[in-house]
């Protein structure tokens, strides 16, 4: 039996092949437990920072990459004790020997395995941060997480691709590619100046947060609700229900009024009453308007009702009041009720509006 195990095949005794097969078989059988154990150790540390992370989610991300990594490392450590057989020292193509090809394959496999693990770690970190972001009502945070997750994964893939090129074609080609990318990046930056500006402005929006998804904003000539903040532009659903795409640079450079951050809504009315109305009627109208505003629970204290000005033909009554932030139909209904009550007060006291216009403002 010993003579059989000592027989040499391809420069190595049969005993070494048996050891390699047994080790690989053993690691294949326990790789799941090794990976699970490693994942459990990492999970205990992660649990301190993100207690809301589910153990199954964490294990699902890292288990398979760790299994292949353990198996590959075991194979490389074991095969390192083998003597490369002279019989296989042959040239495959253009000076490349079979040994060089096999070494490159192992290096490629190790590079892919490490890249895979790093990508899964990025997925896990983004998952951990998104769990915390879900506790807030800001949808922008989730977009921010997705963007940076994809950004860092792209960087890792680029470095992985460079490592693969270096293994296959050598460092000289990598240096040429990097030099070419430097020149190309400068030309691309000049050609895509506006796109880069919009990209930078998207970072400003993400960090400074002048508005968020769901906010009602007014920019230049349009007003609407922010539905999406992208890397190049922001999508706004206007009050006319149109879908407007605004470059992020414009959202940052323009004067933006975030209506969702209002603490109150301010209404200003300017009533011009006919000049033949008696002074007593004017006084009674002012008192009636004050009373109806006081009785309305949605009108904030501190409203103003006064005789603002007068001319030979008109008396100008100014009404200023604040309401809580009420959206849509409810706010319109409140304004309608107040306006009808004011009309009733004018009619009750025999006061007529002047033939000139009535100005109503709101902010």
């Amino acid at each position: 039996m010993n003579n059989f195990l000592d027989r040499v095949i391809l420069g190595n005794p049969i005993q070494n092949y048996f050891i390699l097969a047994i080790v690989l078989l053993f690691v294949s059988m326990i790789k799941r437990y090794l990976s699970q154990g490693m994942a459990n150790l990492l999970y205990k540390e992660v649990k301190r920072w993100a207690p809301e992370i589910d153990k199954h989610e964490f294990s699902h991300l890292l288990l398979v990459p760790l299994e292949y990594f353990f198996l590959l490392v075991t194979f490389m450590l074991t095969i390192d004790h083998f003597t490369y057989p002279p019989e296989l020292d042959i040239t495959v193509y253009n000076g490349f020997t079979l040994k060089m090809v096999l070494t490159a394959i192992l290096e490629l496999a190790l590079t892919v395995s490490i890249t895979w693990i790093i990508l899964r770690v990025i997925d896990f970190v983004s998952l951990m941060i998104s769990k915390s972001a879900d506790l807030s009502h800001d949808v922008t945070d989730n977009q921010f997480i997705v963007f940076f997750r994809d950004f860092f994964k792209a960087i890792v893939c680029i470095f992985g691709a460079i490592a693969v090129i270096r293994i296959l074609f050598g460092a000289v080609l990598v240096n040429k590619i990097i030099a070419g990318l430097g020149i190309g990046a400068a030309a691309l930056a000049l050609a895509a100046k506006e796109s880069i500006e919009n990209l930078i402005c998207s970072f400003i929006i993400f960090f400074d947060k002048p508005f968020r998804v769901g906010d009602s904003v007014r920019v230049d000539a349009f007003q609407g609700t922010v539905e999406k903040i992208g890397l190049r532009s922001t999508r706004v659903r206007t009050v006319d229900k149109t879908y407007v795409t605004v470059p992020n640079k414009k959202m940052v450079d323009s004067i933006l009024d975030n209506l969702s951050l209002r603490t109150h809504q301010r209404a200003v009315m300017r009533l011009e009453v006919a000049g033949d109305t008696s002074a007593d009627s004017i006084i009674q109208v002012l008192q009636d308007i004050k009373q109806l505003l006081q009785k309305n629970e949605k009108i904030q204290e501190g409203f103003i009702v006064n005789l603002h000005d007068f001319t030979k033909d008109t008396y100008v009554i100014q009404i200023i009041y604040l309401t809580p932030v009420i959206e849509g139909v409810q706010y319109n209904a409140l304004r309608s009720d107040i306006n009808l009550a004011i009309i009733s007060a004018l009619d009750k006291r025999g006061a007529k509006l002047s033939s000139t216009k009535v100005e109503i403002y709101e902010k």
Side-chain angles (χ1 to χ4, degrees):
M1 184 66 178
N2 291 334
N3 293 333
F4 173 76
L5 295 177
D6 291 336
R7 291 180 58 185
V8 177
I9 299 178
L10 295 178
N12 295 277
I14 295 178
Q15 180 180 357
N16 288 2
Y17 293 106
F18 272 109
I19 293 174
L20 175 62
I22 292 172
V23 170
L24 291 179
L25 180 61
F26 178 73
V27 173
S28 299
M29 294 173 60
I30 67 169
K31 65 179 181 179
R32 173 57 61 94
Y33 302 101
L34 289 174
S35 302
Q36 189 69 54
M38 179 65 72
N40 290 338
L41 290 176
L42 293 175
Y43 179 75
K44 290 180 180 179
E45 296 298 323
V46 170
K47 190 71 173 177
R48 301 177 183 178
W49 302 96
E52 66 277 0
I53 293 295
D54 183 65
K55 185 177 181 179
H56 176 72
E57 290 178 323
F58 179 77
S59 299
H60 177 72
L61 286 173
L62 294 179
L63 206 57
V64 177
L66 285 175
E67 288 180 7
Y68 284 100
F69 178 75
F70 281 131
L71 188 61
L72 180 61
V73 170
T74 302
F75 176 77
M76 295 182 69
L77 291 176
T78 307
I79 203 71
D80 188 56
H81 296 282
F82 277 63
T83 301
Y84 189 79
E87 297 88 345
L88 298 181
D89 191 12
I90 57 177
T91 301
V92 177
Y93 174 76
N94 197 20
F96 291 96
T97 63
L98 181 60
K99 182 178 180 180
M100 296 171 62
V101 173
L102 295 176
T103 302
I105 291 175
L106 288 177
E107 291 179 353
L108 286 174
L110 184 61
T111 301
V112 171
S113 179
I114 294 175
T115 303
W116 190 8
I117 292 176
I118 295 175
L119 292 176
R120 286 301 181 91
V121 170
I122 293 175
D123 285 333
F124 164 70
V125 173
S126 65
L127 175 65
M128 184 173 62
I129 298 175
S130 64
K131 291 289 185 181
S132 300
D134 289 340
L135 300 177
S136 66
H137 299 288
D138 188 4
V139 185
T140 309
D141 292 339
N142 294 328
Q143 293 186 0
F144 182 76
I145 294 168
V146 172
F147 165 70
F148 275 101
R149 182 197 65 189
D150 295 341
F151 175 77
F152 285 115
K153 289 177 76 171
I155 295 297
V156 171
C157 289
I158 290 173
F159 278 103
I162 292 175
V164 169
I165 294 174
R166 186 180 186 281
I167 293 171
L168 294 177
F169 304 103
V172 176
L173 180 60
V174 172
N175 294 334
K176 292 181 179 179
I177 292 176
I178 294 176
L181 288 176
I183 299 174
L188 182 63
L190 292 175
K193 178 176 176 293
E194 292 186 2
S195 297
I196 294 175
E197 288 177 347
N198 287 321
L199 179 62
I200 294 174
C201 288
S202 69
F203 284 104
I204 295 175
I205 293 173
F206 278 132
F207 286 108
D208 192 42
K209 295 185 178 179
F211 57 88
R212 303 180 180 186
V213 174
D215 283 356
S216 179
V217 298
R218 182 187 292 124
V219 180
D220 290 346
F222 66 89
Q223 174 182 336
T225 302
V226 177
E227 292 195 352
K228 183 179 179 181
I229 303 174
L231 297 180
R232 193 197 71 84
S233 61
T234 298
R235 274 76 168 186
V236 178
R237 181 73 63 182
T238 67
V239 293
D240 297 326
K241 302 306 178 183
T242 58
Y243 197 53
V244 178
T245 300
V246 187
N248 286 333
K249 185 176 185 299
K250 186 176 183 63
M251 297 294 290
V252 172
D253 292 342
S254 301
I255 297 177
L256 183 142
D257 186 4
N258 192 332
L259 303 178
S260 296
L261 297 181
R262 294 178 297 182
T263 56
H264 298 86
Q265 288 173 284
R266 182 172 180 263
V268 179
M269 299 181 64
R270 176 185 169 93
L271 302 180
E272 296 187 357
V273 182
D276 58 356
T277 306
S278 65
D280 290 338
S281 296
I282 294 295
I283 294 173
Q284 291 172 348
V285 167
L286 293 175
Q287 292 176 347
D288 291 344
I289 295 176
K290 289 179 181 179
Q291 289 177 1
L292 70 90
L293 292 179
Q294 286 175 346
K295 292 178 180 179
N296 195 312
E297 297 179 352
K298 295 182 179 179
I299 302 299
Q300 303 293 313
E301 295 182 1
F303 55 81
I304 298 174
V305 179
N306 60 7
L307 181 62
H308 182 67
D309 200 357
F310 65 91
T311 66
K312 64 178 181 178
D313 297 322
T314 59
Y315 295 106
V316 180
I317 297 177
Q318 177 180 250
I319 304 171
I320 302 175
Y321 61 88
L322 298 175
T323 69
V325 178
I326 307 172
E327 299 296 337
V329 178
Q330 294 182 354
Y331 179 73
N332 292 331
L334 175 63
R335 289 295 303 270
S336 178
D337 292 341
I338 293 174
N339 292 341
L340 290 173
I342 292 174
I343 293 174
S344 298
L346 292 172
D347 186 61
K348 177 181 177 181
R349 302 304 178 182
K352 303 294 183 181
L353 293 177
S354 174
S355 58
T356 56
K357 62 182 180 180
V358 178
E359 297 180 359
I360 301 177
Y361 308 93
E362 68 174 272
K363 185 176 180 181

